[in-house]
Amino acid sequence: MNKKQLDKLMNVLIGISTFLILIGAFFNLQHYPNGNLILDIGIISNILLSGFEISRLKKIIKVLEEKEKS
């Protein structure tokens, strides 16, 4: 998978997790069933995706710093 495809995939996954957080919060406010579960899934997936994205950005920064030094 090349960089552009991975960027698109990450954007879609982060969007889905954000959507789950919003829907879970709405369900929780309206006292619909499984609101907490949807909210928890959205928050956990968002945390995991953010951690993966941070590690990707650190690698990119390291490569750019190495290019700058040489």
Side-chain angles (χ1 to χ4, degrees):
M1 190 176 272
N2 64 17
K3 185 182 179 312
K4 286 188 178 185
Q5 289 175 334
L6 188 59
D7 288 342
K8 285 183 183 179
L9 177 64
M10 288 301 293
N11 285 337
V12 169
L13 291 176
I14 290 173
I16 290 171
S17 68
T18 303
F19 179 73
L20 285 174
I21 291 171
L22 291 174
I23 293 299
F26 175 75
F27 276 27
N28 204 5
L29 286 171
Q30 295 295 324
H31 301 289
Y32 291 153
N34 299 324
N36 284 335
L37 178 65
I38 296 171
L39 186 60
D40 291 343
I41 290 171
I43 290 172
I44 291 170
S45 64
N46 205 337
I47 289 170
L48 293 174
L49 289 169
S50 296
F52 180 71
E53 191 68 19
I54 288 170
S55 68
R56 282 183 55 219
L57 289 173
K58 284 182 180 180
K59 288 178 187 176
I60 292 170
I61 289 170
K62 184 184 273 188
V63 168
L64 291 174
E65 286 176 344
E66 289 174 1
K67 283 183 181 180
E68 188 178 290
K69 286 180 183 178
S70 58

